[in-house]
Amino acid sequence: MRLKIPQFLLALVIVGGLMLGGCSGQQSASNNASPSSNATSAATEASTKTTTEASSVSQNTNSESIPGMKDLPRLEGKATVVMTVKGSPITIEVDGTNAPYTAGNFVDLVQRGVYDGLSFHRVVRQPQPFVAQGGDPKSKDPKTPAQLLGTGGFVDPKTGTERSIPLEIKPKGAQQPVYSKTITEAPVLTHKLGAVAMARSQQPDSASSQFYFALADLAFLDGNYAVFGNVTQGMDVVNKIQQGDRIDSAKVTQGAENLKNGGK
């Protein structure tokens, strides 16, 4: 069923907030963007998606043409991550088959212990279920001002700079994902209830460590944000997450051997 006009406009505002919450330190201009300007960007992007004819997959950028991609962690296959929130486990299947770099980044950060102790700084359930978003390293310090939460990313200790990963979305029927831009084709990994995806700023290649759980089917986000996994057990725990709740721990329980270029 198509969204009614008021629901669609509400969705654009919510998406704008998601983009603001996904800002990385490398995108200072986006960090200072107001929710209204982000919503406008989202509206433009959504309009383009619905009116632009789907482009040929063969013309899309591939990973070999993006500088630094070969050095990023990647997951060759699948892995299982168990994330514990307030003492209760959430089992996540991470899909490196269809999103190798996005999945690899997440598994690498889990293995580094980056998510342990971080909070969910943004949880939206009203007026309709949307997302539970966390993963900002700044949230580890309980003294961090609330207005700064949602602006941080993982700083690689080897380089001293924030790691950013390209937007990575694989269209159905394609041999490999499309990088660094949104798509109009239907993706393999969709924003179904329980999907796990990366937050980002207005810049496509700005995702770092922040992720979100989809609290409902959010098809209007498909093709715009990189889904890399889904909750297989513990959705009841996800549905109870409140803003400010912290991740006790996150552990890779299966598939760690599929991670390449990971480090600690």
Side-chain angles (χ1 to χ4, degrees):
M1 180 180 295
R2 291 184 177 179
L3 290 173
K4 294 181 180 179
I5 294 301
Q7 292 177 313
F8 178 68
L9 293 177
L10 175 63
L12 295 182
V13 174
I14 292 176
V15 171
L18 177 62
M19 295 178 75
L20 181 64
C23 288
S24 71
Q26 293 180 338
Q27 306 295 339
S28 57
S30 296
N31 282 343
N32 295 324
S34 67
S36 60
S37 66
N38 279 321
T40 301
S41 174
T44 301
E45 188 171 37
S47 176
T48 300
K49 182 176 179 179
T50 56
T51 59
T52 302
E53 184 177 355
S55 61
S56 171
V57 174
S58 63
Q59 296 176 346
N60 287 318
T61 305
N62 60 48
S63 61
E64 295 179 355
S65 65
I66 301 174
M69 280 284 283
K70 62 181 179 61
D71 298 320
L72 289 174
R74 67 182 186 279
L75 188 68
E76 298 179 350
K78 294 188 177 183
T80 301
V81 168
V82 175
M83 182 175 289
T84 305
V85 178
K86 299 183 72 174
S88 298
I90 301 166
T91 303
I92 303 168
E93 182 183 72
V94 186
D95 190 344
T97 300
N98 294 301
Y101 290 97
T102 312
N105 175 68
F106 183 76
V107 170
D108 179 56
L109 297 182
V110 168
Q111 289 197 320
R112 290 172 182 264
V114 169
Y115 292 118
D116 298 353
L118 302 190
S119 71
F120 287 91
H121 62 272
R122 185 167 184 264
V123 179
V124 180
R125 290 197 176 88
Q126 298 296 332
Q128 57 195 34
F130 186 51
V131 301
Q133 182 176 334
D136 183 349
K138 291 182 179 181
S139 69
K140 194 156 192 172
D141 183 353
K143 296 181 180 179
T144 300
Q147 63 268 27
L148 294 182
L149 297 180
T151 63
F154 168 67
V155 176
D156 192 326
K158 289 185 177 180
T159 64
T161 59
E162 185 174 310
R163 176 197 290 170
S164 294
I165 58 173
L167 179 62
E168 177 181 53
I169 306 175
K170 185 177 182 180
K172 286 184 178 178
Q175 294 298 312
Q176 60 180 318
V178 172
Y179 292 93
S180 300
K181 62 180 179 179
T182 60
I183 68 170
T184 56
E185 299 92 335
V188 174
L189 301 178
T190 61
H191 282 81
K192 62 184 180 181
L193 173 66
V196 190
M198 295 300 290
R200 62 173 177 84
S201 73
Q202 293 179 10
Q203 301 301 318
D205 297 346
S206 58
S208 181
S209 60
Q210 292 185 48
F211 69 95
Y212 58 90
F213 292 115
L215 302 181
D217 291 341
L218 305 172
F220 60 92
L221 296 181
D222 288 348
N224 291 288
Y225 294 85
V227 176
F228 62 88
N230 66 281
V231 174
T232 57
Q233 294 182 45
M235 194 61 206
D236 58 324
V237 180
V238 174
N239 285 329
K240 294 177 182 176
I241 292 174
Q242 300 297 317
Q243 193 159 306
D245 285 352
R246 293 189 176 274
I247 300 170
D248 300 328
S249 65
K251 305 293 182 185
V252 180
T253 59
Q254 293 181 5
E257 68 279 2
N258 294 329
L259 180 65
K260 312 300 178 184
N261 291 345
K264 289 186 179 180

